[in-house]
Amino acid sequence: MKKAFSLIYIYFVNLILGILIGTFFVGVYMSSLNFIAGNQIFFFHSANLIPAFEMVSLGICFFLPLSLFTYKICHQGKVVQCIVYIFLQCLTWLVVFPVIDHQVINRLENHYSIRIKDSKSNNNSDLLSSGYFRESNGVVYYFLDDVTDGISAKNPVRGVKISTGDWGDMERVTFINSEEMEVIDAASPYKDVLIKSVYGNSVVSNIRYIGNVIRAGQKALSDGIISYLVFLSLALALSVVYMLAHISQWRAVNFISCITATLVIMTVNVWYYSPLFESFAGSSFLTNRLFTAMAGWCSDPFIFTVNCTIALLIVILGIIEKISLRKNGGTR
């Protein structure tokens, strides 16, 4: 019982620290969307604090278990410890997830979808700085003047375009409209392609993928308690992964098992709530009697069945592990 109470303490410490640390790093990343090579860089803006906090508070529901696996792996506990953990994890989904403003996902994606030249922050009108080579679609741009939102026929921007083809043609150009600068649009969702080359698109894609799952949870909340409980099958599957923490006598194997199971659960759910599932949705497999019968009370019978099946398999493995441990005299 003492270990169960210590788990409650560690759980909430990890929850609070996870939100604080995550808010800082997500806030830094959101600020990086407006970085421009050659300009002064501010790594954190107060305007990003609230959306970063909301984003991390939603994401912590998915990834908090990862921070607790090490504790469980290093501290053998009884069944009551596992029950307390699953209860805390589900409580987080029942309390934290519903109260956070889910529209933060839509607001962030709106930021990604708009043209970067129209995305002004912190009263900074600079679009691109001069003196740097920037490549877009096989063309290298070099601006002799800073590009600002005040560009016009009276305030043009001089530059050079260099083709990266076989001949490497170079052309002096004068821009009087930022619409003509393909290198600006190519940087989306960042302001500068040089910054995009550092971060890439993976972070943005991950936010969008997780955003699909969060929106599904939001819809389930609005549809009623039954729909939200069906969605919480994801929370159940993530929670019971905790039972794999002592599946082997080797700690490395235990940690890899927990990480792998979490990634599999998240991948399946992200796939289900993504456009990629639509091509699979027409399969006759989804029209069998089981899913048809469940459709009367369950809006997402497929993912509900998958999550519950994964959870059941993990519970069975956990029970087998406990039985094996007792037979071995509790030496693992």
Side-chain angles (χ1 to χ4, degrees):
M1 185 62 70
K2 181 179 179 180
K3 290 183 178 180
F5 281 113
S6 65
L7 179 62
I8 296 176
Y9 168 76
I10 292 172
Y11 185 90
F12 283 105
V13 168
N14 278 271
L15 177 65
I16 295 171
L17 288 179
I19 290 177
L20 293 178
I21 295 173
T23 297
F24 173 76
F25 283 106
V26 171
V28 170
Y29 171 73
M30 292 174 66
S31 297
S32 73
L33 297 175
N34 293 292
F35 287 173
I36 299 175
N39 286 13
Q40 185 176 2
I41 290 178
F42 298 93
F43 282 97
F44 195 87
H45 297 292
S46 57
N48 295 327
L49 180 61
I50 298 301
F53 171 79
E54 293 173 334
M55 186 72 190
V56 172
S57 296
L58 292 171
I60 203 73
C61 295
F62 299 101
F63 302 111
L64 182 61
L66 294 175
S67 66
L68 298 173
F69 291 154
T70 303
Y71 173 81
K72 172 63 175 176
I73 291 171
C74 296
H75 299 82
Q76 175 70 48
K78 297 182 179 179
V79 176
V80 64
Q81 186 187 39
C82 188
I83 294 175
V84 168
Y85 169 78
I86 293 175
F87 171 77
L88 289 172
Q89 178 67 3
C90 291
L91 184 65
T92 303
W93 281 82
L94 290 171
V95 175
V96 175
F97 192 85
V99 301
I100 297 296
D101 179 14
H102 298 75
Q103 294 303 316
V104 64
I105 300 297
N106 294 331
R107 290 196 297 271
L108 288 175
E109 288 200 339
N110 287 338
H111 179 78
Y112 300 146
S113 63
I114 63 176
R115 299 171 72 86
I116 292 303
K117 63 178 178 299
D118 295 327
S119 176
K120 306 298 189 299
S121 68
N122 306 303
N123 300 317
N124 185 1
S125 62
D126 290 341
L127 297 179
L128 290 175
S129 57
S130 60
Y132 289 87
F133 290 96
R134 297 176 172 89
E135 181 179 359
S136 173
N137 294 328
V139 178
V140 175
Y141 296 83
Y142 184 89
F143 298 110
L144 300 175
D145 305 302
D146 289 341
V147 184
T148 68
D149 60 356
I151 182 175
S152 65
K154 294 182 179 181
N155 185 30
V157 173
R158 299 168 300 157
V160 177
K161 289 174 61 176
I162 306 172
S163 172
T164 58
D166 293 336
W167 296 99
D169 296 333
M170 184 172 65
E171 175 188 1
R172 292 189 62 181
V173 293
T174 300
F175 296 99
I176 61 173
N177 193 327
S178 59
E179 298 274 355
E180 304 172 356
M181 299 179 182
E182 182 184 357
V183 70
I184 295 181
D185 289 332
S188 179
Y190 304 90
K191 274 194 171 183
D192 193 334
V193 291
L194 294 177
I195 303 301
K196 184 176 183 177
S197 65
V198 175
Y199 286 92
N201 286 320
S202 59
V203 177
V204 175
S205 298
N206 292 335
I207 290 176
R208 287 178 174 173
Y209 292 148
I210 296 298
N212 291 333
V213 181
I214 293 174
R215 272 193 294 270
Q218 180 185 22
K219 183 179 181 300
L221 274 170
S222 61
D223 289 343
I225 184 64
I226 298 299
S227 295
Y228 189 57
L229 289 176
V230 169
F231 176 76
L232 285 184
S233 62
L234 168 59
L236 175 63
L238 290 173
S239 299
V240 298
V241 171
Y242 194 69
M243 298 184 68
L244 298 178
H246 290 284
I247 198 67
S248 167
Q249 60 182 335
W250 293 287
R251 291 181 177 179
V253 173
N254 295 334
F255 189 76
I256 292 173
S257 299
C258 292
I259 294 294
T260 302
T262 300
L263 291 178
V264 168
I265 294 169
M266 286 302 304
T267 300
V268 171
N269 281 267
V270 166
W271 167 71
Y272 176 79
Y273 292 113
S274 72
L276 297 175
F277 183 76
E278 294 178 0
S279 59
F280 180 74
S283 171
S284 59
F285 171 72
L286 296 179
T287 59
N288 64 34
R289 293 182 179 180
L290 173 62
F291 295 132
T292 302
M294 293 176 61
W297 59 272
C298 178
S299 57
D300 296 303
F302 175 78
I303 198 63
F304 177 75
T305 302
V306 170
N307 286 334
C308 289
T309 300
I310 293 175
L312 180 61
L313 290 175
I314 293 175
V315 169
I316 291 174
L317 287 174
I319 292 174
I320 293 175
E321 177 270 325
K322 288 295 182 183
I323 294 175
S324 175
L325 183 62
R326 287 188 178 182
K327 288 185 177 180
N328 292 332
T331 57
R332 190 184 302 173

